[in-house]
Amino acid sequence: MRNLLYTILTFCTLCTLCACGKLSILDFSLGTKSLVMYAGQTTQIKVGISYAGVDTVELHFTSADETVAMVDNKGNVTAVEQGNTVITVSCEDRSLECEVTVTPQVCVVGYSMSSGGVCEAFQYFDNTYSSFASGMSARPYSVIFNGEKKIICGEGKKATNTEENAEPWRAMYWTDGKATTLDNSELASTAYGITMAGDSLLVVGVKNDAEGNINAYLWTPKTTVCLGNDAIASTVKHYGNNIYIGGTMGDAPTLWINGTPNSYPGVGEINAIDVVDGVVYAVGTSLFNGVACATLWTDGVATIISETASEGIDLSVYRGTVSVCGSVGNRGFVWDAASGISIPDNSGAGNTFTGIEAGKNGVMLSGYTAIYDIQSSALNHYAILWQQEPITIAPTGTSSYATAIVAR
């Protein structure tokens, strides 16, 4: 008896050989011999097979390096982290290989300035620059991936207004370019941090009150919560059953856990947080010997990164190592516990780092560089993505600023 079958793996993987026949493979092929994926992505390898002599066949799938990509018994490949591996598909004494390359998927957001004071929001994704928030003056401050979507938060207003005659900035977020306003009052507001808690979007930031005071806020799909007066909420993370928000309240570095503020000793602020294996990492500034210094808190315990005037801007945790970016004087720095402070070779004076993502091949940084134009006697800023080498990611006709980075 002869059986012909060309199918996706689902129909042929959990089968067993018929004991009464001898298998004869007539044709055996893969739908693709190579895959390029990003971490967290899943795809299924298609197998074509025709055979005779038995009723069913069994296919086996293995990955040469499961730290790069894993494969299950249905041929579903899940990318783990940057690198290369080979998926082998075998049936009896026949085998085929599919090469898998996992590359970082990176998105940088920022804005460019026009001569009229209008801010044009942009994203740099898959090595391509594109503007969003059409018809608005907008400044993005944070970006996350949510499945195949990119969600960006910041502030926006009508593009027809200049800085001299402006309506208030309003806290907003954009889902694949579509805008949602978080606060429609006549009071100024800004969204600084964004994360997902299951299917719910959480956004934090600030809003002015009628007296001109700045207050910290959390926006959820159903509620708007004032976290405190004389306060700023800069960053938010969800881990387990807890929502962690970093910022400052009453001039003290403050971490809110499920809405309850916990002020760290001294004067300062938290600019970024991450939670890994239950450990809460926070980075920002605190006073040391009367000087504002870049500081890392690990479950509330402070480590002074630099004892000179400095600021910690962002952090990224990779395999237990915490990397921090910030500034010392007018130079951007990168810091980790193993090597201490370093000024990257491609980061001279005038560079500002705004975000960091750490991975197998080092760190990637978002920010901008200052360049003095002799002809116009103007100091221009240009948005930069630092990888192995710095990449200018926005048109250079006007000043531009890269404000945040996300990678997976």
Side-chain angles (χ1 to χ4, degrees):
M1 183 181 75
R2 176 172 177 165
N3 294 319
L4 294 176
L5 178 61
Y6 189 92
T7 182
I8 300 177
L9 306 174
T10 308
F11 300 100
C12 58
T13 51
L14 298 179
C15 308
T16 57
L17 293 173
C18 177
C20 59
K22 183 177 180 180
L23 172 65
S24 176
I25 298 176
L26 306 176
D27 181 66
F28 189 28
S29 63
L30 299 182
T32 182
K33 293 183 178 180
S34 63
L35 292 170
V36 178
M37 307 175 69
Y38 58 84
Q41 185 180 14
T42 297
T43 191
Q44 190 179 50
I45 298 177
K46 295 182 179 180
V47 178
I49 184 169
S50 62
Y51 55 92
V54 296
D55 292 330
T56 58
V57 295
E58 183 177 7
L59 299 178
H60 299 277
F61 305 88
T62 58
S63 171
D65 189 347
E66 292 192 341
T67 66
V68 174
M70 298 184 295
V71 63
D72 66 14
N73 61 4
K74 294 183 179 181
N76 295 305
V77 180
T78 301
V80 178
E81 72 169 357
Q82 184 177 357
N84 299 282
T85 189
V86 174
I87 302 298
T88 301
V89 186
S90 59
C91 181
E92 290 294 292
D93 60 348
R94 302 276 295 273
S95 64
L96 298 169
E97 293 183 345
C98 176
E99 296 181 353
V100 177
T101 301
V102 181
T103 62
Q105 190 173 46
V106 182
C107 183
V108 177
V109 297
Y111 61 94
S112 300
M113 295 293 298
S114 74
S115 57
V118 173
C119 301
E120 180 181 273
F122 70 80
Q123 61 180 354
Y124 184 80
F125 178 65
D126 280 348
N127 300 316
T128 302
Y129 170 95
S130 62
S131 59
F132 66 94
S134 177
M136 301 184 66
S137 185
R139 296 190 288 216
Y141 293 118
S142 186
V143 56
I144 60 171
F145 288 119
N146 182 30
E148 295 300 315
K149 297 179 180 179
K150 298 181 294 296
I151 307 178
I152 303 165
C153 75
E155 58 187 8
K157 59 184 176 182
K158 292 180 181 179
T160 54
N161 290 323
T162 65
E163 294 296 332
E164 292 76 19
N165 183 24
E167 67 179 30
W169 290 100
R170 291 187 171 89
M172 308 185 72
Y173 69 88
W174 295 264
T175 304
D176 285 342
K178 183 180 179 181
T180 300
T181 302
L182 293 165
D183 186 85
N184 285 305
S185 71
E186 294 303 313
L187 301 172
S189 58
T190 299
Y192 288 124
I194 189 168
T195 195
M196 296 297 302
D199 294 330
S200 296
L201 183 68
L202 308 178
V203 185
V204 297
V206 296
K207 179 182 175 181
N208 288 3
D209 61 24
E211 288 73 37
N213 301 309
I214 298 176
N215 305 315
Y217 272 81
L218 165 67
W219 291 275
T220 75
K222 295 182 179 180
T223 61
T224 298
V225 180
C226 180
L227 297 168
N229 301 322
D230 187 25
I232 296 173
S234 302
T235 180
V236 58
K237 292 290 181 181
H238 174 255
Y239 182 87
N241 295 321
N242 296 324
I243 298 171
Y244 300 87
I245 299 171
T248 182
M249 186 166 67
D251 293 329
T254 302
L255 179 71
W256 288 264
I257 303 177
N258 297 328
T260 300
N262 301 272
S263 294
Y264 292 163
V267 175
E269 61 184 340
I270 294 173
N271 291 322
I273 56 175
D274 202 357
V275 187
V276 180
D277 297 331
V279 179
V280 181
Y281 301 95
V283 69
T285 59
S286 65
L287 285 184
F288 179 77
N289 292 333
V291 178
C293 298
T295 305
L296 172 70
W297 293 269
T298 305
D299 279 341
V301 178
T303 299
I304 302 298
I305 294 173
S306 171
E307 296 182 4
T308 59
S310 54
E311 183 176 13
I313 300 297
D314 195 16
L315 63 86
S316 181
V317 183
Y318 176 73
R319 291 186 176 180
T321 297
V322 184
S323 297
V324 174
C325 72
S327 61
V328 177
N330 66 341
R331 299 183 61 140
F333 77 81
V334 176
W335 176 93
D336 64 57
S339 61
I341 285 182
S342 67
I343 306 294
D345 292 340
N346 53 36
S347 174
N351 287 303
T352 299
F353 298 148
T354 58
I356 186 170
E357 287 285 346
K360 179 184 288 186
N361 291 340
V363 300
M364 294 179 288
L365 300 152
S366 64
Y368 48 92
T369 188
I371 298 178
Y372 182 76
D373 188 330
I374 298 176
Q375 291 184 342
S376 63
S377 299
L379 184 65
N380 295 321
H381 295 89
Y382 299 119
I384 301 290
L385 167 62
W386 283 269
Q387 291 178 303
Q388 301 299 322
E389 296 292 336
I391 303 170
T392 302
I393 60 175
T396 57
T398 60
S399 285
S400 58
Y401 306 86
T403 53
I405 183 174
V406 65
R408 62 180 177 185

